[in-house]
Amino acid sequence: MSALAARLRQLRTQSGQASAVALPKPTLAPDVLRLIQGRSRMQGVTQRASSSDRFVPGVEIAPGLFFTEATMDWGCPSPMIDTAFARWQEPVAYDRLLHFDTETTGLAGGTGTRAWMIGAADWLTDGRFRVRQLTTTTMGAETAMLRTFAQWLEPDTVLVSYNGKSYDSPLLKTRYRMARLPDPLSGLGHLDLLHPVRRHWKGVWENCRLATAERELLGVVREDDLPGSEAPAAWLSYLRGGSAVNLRRVLVHNNQDLKSLAGVLLHLARLNYS
């Protein structure tokens, strides 16, 4: 019996070795592997507790899309804005200008970056300055936001931005294309204030960021301002059930960006280019 038992053990061992050699390691398709890895990472993240402070300012004009509007006295624009600072030949009527700024999910751009807030400001015919902001609180509200913003643009609108030609405008064009919507920005005039500011003050100031331009030219010093680099985290935290405190701070930050855009524009327009 001992010899038979030893023989059986030997056969089992040989069978196990043969099976180990004969069965190759399973291979997974790359997309399946990424899905499994992504699920593992999500399961390893502690779920954020929901916050009781979920208040987003404004009126919900579509599911997950909030709209705010405010008018104020801001700047004293001439009927025609001198655009020689941008090397344009003709002045532009002040009520054709639309200052705009986006808050996005990242700074890299590309198809993976989306705009979750669009702020726009213009002077009304009575000279009052109007600030309008669109804030999405769900992923699915982006299309409604893009449609609403398109309604604010006319064929003769002149856009005003700070680095918008390189970042905000291309990003929005991509988002309109991804949403299969017509691109309302194509063909519009665009005054990007970053470039004339650099021509005048590069090497004079420490940098030519908007925060520096508003401080040097307008005397604006922000207090308790949420840096633009933290805006993506503020929105993503809210989507996960977090507090709306930083989301509201982004609204304040965006509002000041728009007012500073208008102030810097008027300062540049009053420079002597003769």
Side-chain angles (χ1 to χ4, degrees):
M1 289 297 294
S2 60
L4 179 59
R7 180 57 178 166
L8 288 173
R9 283 196 298 269
Q10 182 180 10
L11 290 173
R12 291 194 190 100
T13 301
Q14 291 174 350
S15 175
Q17 291 173 346
S19 299
V21 173
L23 296 175
K25 290 184 178 180
T27 58
L28 297 175
D31 55 342
V32 176
L33 183 59
R34 284 194 298 270
L35 179 61
I36 293 173
Q37 292 172 340
R39 184 182 295 272
S40 298
R41 286 193 296 269
M42 291 178 64
Q43 290 173 345
V45 174
T46 302
Q47 293 297 315
R48 189 186 303 272
S50 295
S51 170
S52 59
D53 184 357
R54 303 281 292 167
F55 172 70
V56 178
V59 178
E60 190 172 15
I61 59 174
L65 177 63
F66 287 78
F67 168 74
T68 62
E69 178 176 340
T71 58
M72 66 203 75
D73 292 320
W74 186 258
C76 298
S78 302
M80 301 298 291
I81 303 294
D82 188 347
T83 56
F85 67 87
R87 299 174 178 172
W88 286 21
Q89 298 299 317
E90 301 293 335
V92 176
Y94 74 92
D95 57 357
R96 288 176 53 197
L97 300 173
L98 186 73
H99 311 76
F100 81 107
D101 183 49
T102 64
E103 305 299 338
T104 68
T105 55
L107 301 176
T111 57
T113 303
R114 65 171 62 210
W116 59 270
M117 179 186 292
I118 301 177
D122 54 358
W123 281 289
L124 302 174
T125 53
D126 62 359
R128 296 270 290 171
F129 193 66
R130 174 177 60 178
V131 176
R132 291 175 286 180
Q133 293 169 293
L134 296 166
T135 306
T136 61
T137 58
T138 64
M139 290 283 192
E142 184 188 32
T143 298
M145 179 182 68
L146 294 173
R147 285 198 176 103
T148 304
F149 179 63
Q151 295 172 3
W152 300 350
L153 303 173
E154 301 292 342
D156 65 344
T157 294
V158 174
L159 300 170
V160 182
S161 71
Y162 208 86
N163 198 35
K165 280 188 176 180
S166 298
Y167 184 75
D168 302 82
S169 182
L171 185 141
L172 286 177
K173 287 175 179 288
T174 298
R175 299 316 302 173
Y176 277 104
R177 185 170 63 252
M178 297 287 288
R180 298 183 179 180
L181 295 173
D183 173 15
L185 287 78
S186 292
L188 300 183
H190 192 155
L191 294 168
D192 190 331
L193 304 186
L194 173 62
H195 306 295
V197 165
R198 278 180 175 166
R199 284 196 294 270
H200 280 276
W201 293 289
K202 184 178 181 180
V204 179
W205 299 342
E206 57 181 326
N207 58 58
C208 290
R209 296 170 54 220
L210 179 59
T212 303
E214 67 183 12
R215 183 180 68 245
E216 297 290 339
L217 302 180
L218 311 176
V220 172
V221 179
R222 304 196 192 198
E223 296 181 0
D224 192 34
D225 181 61
L226 185 76
S229 59
E230 296 183 23
W235 187 65
L236 293 173
S237 174
Y238 180 85
L239 290 191
R240 294 167 183 158
S243 170
V245 170
N246 281 344
L247 197 70
R248 295 194 295 270
R249 292 177 67 195
V250 176
L251 274 162
V252 174
H253 172 91
N254 183 265
N255 183 294
Q256 183 58 57
D257 279 352
L258 295 169
K259 293 194 293 184
S260 293
L261 268 176
V264 172
L265 169 82
L266 293 179
H267 187 95
L268 290 168
R270 291 166 185 154
L271 293 177
N272 185 3
Y273 287 89
S274 59

